Amino acid sequence: MPIPESAVLSRADTTDAGLLSSRFDDLGVRLHDGGGTVRIWSAHASSIDLLIFDGDDLDWVVETVALSRTEGDIWSGFSRGLRQGTHYAIQVDGPAGPGNTFNRSSLLIDPYARGLVHSGSSGWRSVVVAGDFDWCGARKPLIPLDRTVIYEGHVKGMTKRHPEVPPALHGTYAGLAHPAMIEHFTTLGVTSIELLPVHQFATEPRLLELGLTNYWGYNTVGFFAPHAAYATEENRRRGPEAVLREFKGMVKLLHEAGLEVILDVVYNHTSEAEIGGPRSSFRGIDNRGYYRQHADGAYIDVTGCGNSVDTATDAASRLVLDSLLYWANDVQVDGFRFDLATTLGRDSQHAFTPEHPLLRAIVDDPALADVKKIAEPWDVGMGGWQTGSFGPGWMEWNDRYRDRVRNFWLSDVDYGRRAATAPVGVGGFATRLAGSSNTFSAERGPLASVNFVTAHDGFTLHDLVSYDVKHNTANGEHNRDGADTNRSFNHGAEGETDDPVILATRRRAMRNLMGTLLLSAGVPMITAGDEFGRTQHGNNNAYCHDGSLTWLPWEHAPWQADLFAHVQRLLTLRAQNPALRPSRFARDDQETPSASVMDWYDEHGEMMSGARWADPTHRTLQYLATSTPEVEEPNRTLLVVHGTERPATVLLPRVDGVSRYRAVWSSEDEHPSTEISSHEPGSSVELGPTSMRLFVADPA
């Protein structure tokens, strides 16, 4: 689908408008008049040549075209040899000196190449891709944020071992859109599939030497080409055009099932690594223009990956924006999760600003208006932790939510076993449960928070309740990699055990964590496999393992089926009750549409006092949410949270307008109960250790 005319017109006649300047229009290859024009940006080059290769021999140059420098540091040339399927590269020469790393002999990728192939020892080749595709009327689902439930997973890992997916489709784009996978997603109740990186990526030489691979894909080679290894063998043989067609076919089928596709995109660094690493594109085209560096040419690495893309330059920022527009419009994806997004918002002095021109352009571009924009709001540089600091229009991974929820259900309980009381009260946990208003402004509201307890990076849900420490020796770094502070709790034994009491407590802990996630205000994100408790055997940094450790298992024990049923039940309740998914924070002085008025009670059914919020001996809380929806019927829910390992008796609060409370979910149940019990206001409810109950409050 082409970029809307309104978006094109907004950039017209903007020669001096920074990253939106018209000089950056139509970079890469455009086919016309029986051939094609290639346009490359380089501010410091002295010459650029286009090399066209034989279709079968990727080392045989059949044509060389010298590009001409035009206005705005754009180099351009036409060739009738540029056609659909043509393999090409560029060679760039330039001056020596600090910051410049030109090498006339290097064969380089066009940064805008829609297709890429690897030719072995001689590196990558760009491929001209037309991108024709019949969408057959399939449209983006446009899931409202308050109804969005994100499912984060790996293209290969989700389907590689699925018994109902044909072997030829295992680990592929086509496999992900197979009816068996669509049934899993829709039966579970998630709405938006967030894929770990699918831009073409490469494995670092260090991992190859260890016999490992970059499984997660956070090592981008090109920002426009889909990763070819995730296509079926047949389409890989046919080439990049077929790979892209398979990717679009996946998007089309998921859309027809009502599911969104969100891409985890890595624009903060590239696979060229540190100086001395691979020279595949940016480093040879204009190192000074594309990478952050000191005056002497030393890289400023705020990503921990060897280099950092310098979005303080208009050309680098425009490249990111154009890539987003391509995937959102031509490929029809529904959203993006920006890896280390703080890096993208750093200015020419390398300091983060939420008003960075690129961050503003992503939000303001009308062609991206309906696209979900999710920031990972940190990097490893000075001032890199920016949770809550992005502007309106952005959602953010909420690490403060993750840490507080893990503390409440795991490390606090561990502490309580040793000290007879938890270290803190329930106040911080309640703030996260209610949407993190201390992190996100009223203007942005609770839906700016992407809530998560686990992610691809870190322990799985099962391992979070089964291990006190990481077990990463298989990564080849002597267990030094991965986070040391996990806020996990093994509940009495490290790793595998046959102790029935420990296993039952772990299962309840998983239900408490998942229940908190799916009943909190904000946008929840589930990590693939957590819905049935998969394990990585204590490895909290499995980025380099492409095998049984990371591929989802699809044969499940009874307890795993029970956990799946709990997640399914929780997602159904979330969809049915708008009180659980407010779009705005409520205000005391006025009624706020699409908010939830929140009242807090202690275990005696009395309003929470100020002292009780911080008292570590009082970790039982009743949370009454009353919705003020604009398009749904209003409702009320009561969530009871009990955060100690001692049983408790709770008196349900007497509230004006409430006639009864219907119990609809309990984390104490091994399998979610189908019986709905009714309770009068003021009646008592017995709670077991560390548990949750959800009630729907019926009106008088």
Side-chain angles (χ1 to χ4, degrees):
M1 181 178 292
I3 296 173
E5 183 181 8
S6 59
V8 176
L9 292 176
S10 70
R11 301 198 183 100
D13 300 320
T14 55
T15 304
D16 298 315
L19 70 97
L20 299 182
S21 169
S22 57
R23 66 190 173 113
F24 295 120
D25 292 350
D26 296 328
L27 292 179
V29 171
R30 295 295 181 271
L31 299 177
H32 62 96
D33 300 328
T37 294
V38 62
R39 285 163 48 84
I40 305 290
W41 173 86
S42 178
H44 298 95
S46 59
S47 69
I48 299 182
D49 288 339
L50 165 70
L51 277 61
I52 295 177
F53 295 88
D54 179 77
D56 297 317
D57 186 346
L58 298 185
D59 293 320
W60 180 14
V61 178
V62 297
E63 182 182 5
T64 300
V65 178
L67 304 189
S68 301
R69 188 171 200 150
T70 63
E71 183 181 1
D73 300 321
I74 304 299
W75 299 73
S76 179
F78 175 84
S79 170
R80 295 195 179 279
L82 285 174
R83 300 182 297 271
Q84 182 179 352
T86 295
H87 296 71
Y88 68 102
I90 57 173
Q91 288 183 320
V92 184
D93 201 1
N100 291 327
T101 55
F102 295 106
N103 186 325
R104 180 72 177 79
S105 64
S106 296
L107 298 174
L108 304 173
I109 296 168
D110 170 7
Y112 280 77
R114 267 59 167 172
L116 293 171
V117 295
H118 197 266
S119 65
S121 60
S122 56
W124 295 90
R125 300 289 183 268
S126 304
V127 181
V128 178
V129 170
D132 299 331
F133 186 79
D134 184 359
W135 290 95
C136 299
R139 314 286 296 181
K140 293 185 178 184
L142 299 176
I143 306 295
L145 279 185
D146 71 302
R147 290 187 172 273
T148 297
V149 180
I150 298 171
Y151 185 89
E152 186 206 35
H154 189 282
V155 169
K156 184 175 185 178
M158 283 190 279
T159 66
K160 185 63 177 175
R161 294 199 287 179
H162 200 298
E164 296 177 32
V165 174
L169 304 186
H170 280 168
T172 68
Y173 300 123
L176 189 63
H178 186 272
M181 290 304 301
I182 289 175
E183 181 182 9
H184 178 76
F185 298 142
T186 54
T187 300
L188 182 61
V190 297
T191 67
S192 309
I193 313 305
E194 182 178 306
L195 303 178
L196 267 64
V198 295
H199 291 171
Q200 184 65 59
F201 62 86
T203 293
E204 298 88 329
R206 175 186 64 83
L207 290 178
L208 293 174
E209 291 174 0
L210 293 171
L212 299 171
T213 186
N214 188 321
Y215 174 68
W216 286 349
Y218 292 89
N219 199 44
T220 308
V221 173
F223 294 151
F224 289 81
H227 189 60
Y230 294 158
T232 58
E233 182 179 356
E234 179 181 1
N235 284 330
R236 292 199 304 272
R237 285 199 306 267
R238 291 177 176 176
E241 192 80 56
V243 171
L244 176 60
R245 191 176 301 115
E246 181 177 329
F247 190 98
K248 290 182 176 180
M250 173 195 70
V251 174
K252 172 179 173 291
L253 290 172
L254 291 173
H255 281 178
E256 288 175 344
L259 295 164
E260 293 184 320
V261 178
I262 298 173
L263 303 186
D264 192 335
V265 287
V266 187
Y267 295 116
N268 58 82
H269 75 282
T270 75
S271 62
E272 291 185 306
E274 65 280 346
I275 292 178
R279 185 196 312 269
S280 59
S281 186
F282 291 173
R283 180 167 292 137
I285 294 173
D286 197 316
N287 185 62
R288 175 65 79 180
Y290 276 117
Y291 291 125
R292 294 186 181 275
Q293 52 196 275
H294 297 288
D296 63 359
Y299 278 177
I300 298 172
D301 179 13
V302 298
T303 67
C305 300
N307 66 62
S308 303
V309 173
D310 188 2
T311 53
T313 68
D314 293 334
S317 282
R318 179 61 179 269
L319 176 68
V320 173
L321 182 63
D322 286 346
S323 173
L324 296 171
L325 290 165
Y326 171 72
W327 289 97
N329 292 282
D330 289 72
V331 192
Q332 287 287 285
V333 303
D334 305 274
F336 303 95
R337 179 267 189 187
F338 294 81
D339 181 65
L340 301 184
T342 297
T343 299
L344 304 183
R346 289 183 180 271
D347 59 21
S348 60
Q349 302 304 309
H350 315 297
F352 173 80
T353 170
E355 295 302 318
H356 190 286
L358 175 59
L359 301 184
R360 292 303 319 159
I362 291 170
V363 169
D364 294 340
D365 198 305
L368 297 174
D370 293 325
V371 168
K372 292 178 169 67
K373 309 163 187 73
I374 305 168
E376 183 185 37
W378 52 78
D379 64 19
V380 301
M382 291 290 293
W385 187 56
Q386 294 291 336
T387 305
S389 298
F390 283 69
W394 285 93
M395 303 155 68
E396 300 178 38
W397 271 27
N398 190 349
D399 57 320
R400 298 184 187 184
Y401 177 94
R402 173 200 64 197
D403 294 348
R404 179 61 73 177
V405 172
R406 288 186 180 188
N407 281 350
F408 186 82
W409 290 117
L410 299 174
S411 55
D412 286 0
V413 174
D414 179 22
Y415 185 97
R417 283 190 180 185
R418 291 178 282 108
T421 183
V424 296
V426 74
F429 176 83
T431 300
R432 299 302 165 193
L433 193 66
S436 297
S437 60
N438 61 343
T439 301
F440 301 100
S441 66
E443 179 185 14
R444 299 177 67 193
L447 297 179
S449 176
V450 175
N451 298 331
F452 66 106
V453 176
T454 67
H456 67 275
D457 186 1
F459 280 145
T460 65
L461 181 68
H462 172 279
D463 293 357
L464 196 62
V465 305
S466 306
Y467 293 88
D468 279 354
V469 296
K470 65 187 181 183
H471 296 263
N472 296 356
T473 53
N475 296 1
E477 299 184 43
H478 306 288
N479 210 39
R480 292 192 299 261
D481 65 303
D484 292 312
T485 303
N486 296 286
R487 297 174 167 83
S488 59
F489 180 31
N490 67 22
H491 292 88
E494 185 71 0
E496 295 185 15
T497 181
D498 57 4
D499 187 311
V501 175
I502 292 175
L503 291 174
T505 306
R506 287 177 178 177
R507 292 194 298 270
R508 189 174 67 250
M510 284 190 275
R511 295 192 293 269
N512 285 330
L513 289 163
M514 194 63 80
T516 302
L517 174 65
L518 300 181
L519 301 178
S520 293
V523 177
M525 184 185 79
I526 299 171
T527 305
D530 277 355
E531 70 271 28
F532 46 74
R534 80 176 183 100
T535 181
Q536 289 180 169
H537 305 294
N539 192 317
N540 74 349
N541 191 35
Y543 75 102
C544 55
H545 295 281
D546 185 359
S548 59
L549 184 70
T550 52
W551 300 342
L552 298 195
W554 292 98
E555 295 180 357
H556 302 145
W559 73 265
Q560 293 179 292
D562 288 340
L563 179 59
F564 180 91
H566 272 282
V567 177
Q568 185 182 43
R569 175 66 172 155
L570 286 162
L571 286 174
T572 298
L573 291 168
R574 182 181 182 86
Q576 292 173 344
N577 292 278
L580 297 172
R581 42 183 174 81
S583 299
R584 300 183 179 93
F585 293 124
R587 293 178 53 178
D588 293 335
D589 58 341
Q590 66 182 50
E591 182 173 307
T592 304
S594 295
S596 286
V597 177
M598 298 171 183
D599 296 306
W600 308 90
Y601 301 88
D602 62 17
E603 64 269 35
H604 306 299
E606 299 175 355
M607 296 292 290
M608 284 286 289
S609 64
R612 288 217 161 188
W613 285 115
D615 187 343
T617 65
H618 291 279
R619 285 168 56 89
T620 304
L621 179 70
Q622 302 190 70
Y623 159 44
L624 183 71
T626 304
S627 72
T628 55
E630 297 173 88
V631 294
E632 299 177 81
E633 291 297 317
N635 85 303
R636 278 177 167 172
T637 57
L638 178 68
L639 181 63
V640 183
V641 177
H642 177 53
T644 75
E645 292 197 297
R646 296 180 297 276
T649 300
V650 169
L651 298 180
L652 301 180
R654 299 180 185 274
V655 179
D656 290 343
V658 174
S659 63
R660 62 174 181 167
Y661 297 101
R662 287 182 292 115
V664 294
W665 178 76
S666 171
S667 69
E668 295 182 66
D669 298 332
E670 286 287 349
H671 188 88
S673 175
T674 57
E675 297 182 6
I676 299 178
S677 58
S678 181
H679 304 264
E680 299 293 324
S683 62
S684 64
V685 174
E686 300 299 321
L687 296 179
T690 53
S691 58
M692 301 176 72
R693 298 269 185 96
L694 180 68
F695 301 83
V696 173
D698 288 339

